[in-house]
Amino acid sequence: MATLQAIRDRIDAAARGAGRDPGAVTLIAVSKTQPDDRVAAVLAQGQRVFGENRVQEAQSRWEARRDGLELHLIGPLQTNKARAAVALFDVIHTVDRARLVAVLARLAQERGHSPALFVQVNTGDESQKAGCAVAEVDALVAQVRGEGLPLLGLMCIPPVDADPAPHFRALRAMAERNGLAGLSMGMSADFETAVTEGATHVRVGSALFGARG
Ligand SMILES: *Cc1c(COP(=O)(O)O)cnc(C)c1O
């Protein structure tokens, strides 16, 4: 568990070390399953960008005090939760299949607005993991764009025991060839590596809040 400033300093140092502008890296504080006193402490330190894994948990934590915050959905999204998700979140990082894109497009039509989106890529092609297959990325990106939805970039979660750097590099190459600037990659264990490899959004939970119960 570290202060917000300590995490921010590590991000900034990694960015500078890679010749990047630290201001180009957004820190998403991943508050999923954290007790409210820890979340309150991070809010009190000035953090305003938070990430949650589950729509219902995010609603109960944030709906009543949503003003001034930027909320990111970083967990898998079922289509039957999409309506609630687009009503709550500013950014959805986990668009990973054609059917979900179609549902998000319909909701955007209805509402006249859509959260910003990332396409999640299963860079390790792990059978149990969310994210579209590496071979499907370009087609899914084209579909999101074809629907006129606001697409920021690509997101990945490398395999647990793998060196994350090659996965971050691969994601960056996929984003570049698709003309996408956003890269949501890096968690507590590897966010500095991710920043070195070009992350624009790092998702940090336990290093900031402490271990999840
Ligand atoms: C939980 C989670 C995180 C944060 O994980 P930490 O290791 O606690 O930083 C980041 N991204 C996703 C998609 C997560 O589910």
Side-chain angles (χ1 to χ4, degrees), residues 138-206:
D138 296 6
L140 201 56
V141 164
Q143 186 196 358
V144 174
R145 285 183 163 146
E147 296 283 8
L149 294 166
L151 182 60
L152 292 181
L154 304 180
M155 176 272 215
C156 77
I157 308 170
V160 177
D161 294 323
D163 174 3
H167 293 270
F168 296 154
R169 250 171 254 145
L171 193 73
R172 179 179 185 162
M174 289 175 225
E176 279 174 357
R177 90 177 168 236
N178 280 286
L180 289 166
L183 288 170
S184 168
M185 56 191 200
M187 307 175 26
S188 288
D190 55 19
F191 67 86
E192 287 149 307
T193 304
V195 169
T196 300
E197 299 298 342
T200 60
H201 295 70
V202 292
R203 311 176 307 265
V204 179
S206 46

Side-chain angles (χ1 to χ4, degrees), residues 30-158:
V30 177
S31 47
K32 65 180 184 195
T33 78
Q34 293 287 353
D36 217 50
D37 59 330
R38 290 184 184 175
V39 176
V42 171
L43 270 166
Q45 293 171 64
Q47 180 69 14
R48 293 295 177 265
V49 183
F50 290 88
E52 291 282 349
N53 252 44
R54 303 171 70 94
V55 177
Q56 265 158 332
E57 184 190 349
Q59 282 175 320
S60 57
R61 189 192 293 285
W62 296 114
E63 227 164 30
R65 49 170 163 172
R66 204 206 169 306
D67 279 6
L69 301 181
E70 187 179 302
L71 297 183
H72 294 242
L73 178 65
I74 62 168
L77 178 56
Q78 297 169 277
T79 49
N80 64 358
K81 302 265 171 63
R83 182 176 294 277
V86 301
L88 182 66
F89 290 100
D90 299 291
V91 186
I92 296 174
H93 291 238
T94 49
V95 176
D96 65 354
R97 58 202 190 279
R99 164 106 182 94
L100 179 58
V101 176
V103 170
L104 292 172
R106 181 167 46 73
L107 289 167
Q109 285 271 305
E110 248 179 70
R111 300 167 54 85
H113 177 76
S114 172
L117 306 176
F118 284 89
V119 165
Q120 182 180 357
V121 186
N122 184 0
T123 56
D125 277 329
E126 298 172 276
S127 57
Q128 81 288 3
K129 198 167 259 177
C132 75
V134 168
E136 293 165 0
V137 176
D138 296 6
L140 201 56
V141 164
Q143 186 196 358
V144 174
R145 285 183 163 146
E147 296 283 8
L149 294 166
L151 182 60
L152 292 181
L154 304 180
M155 176 272 215
C156 77
I157 308 170

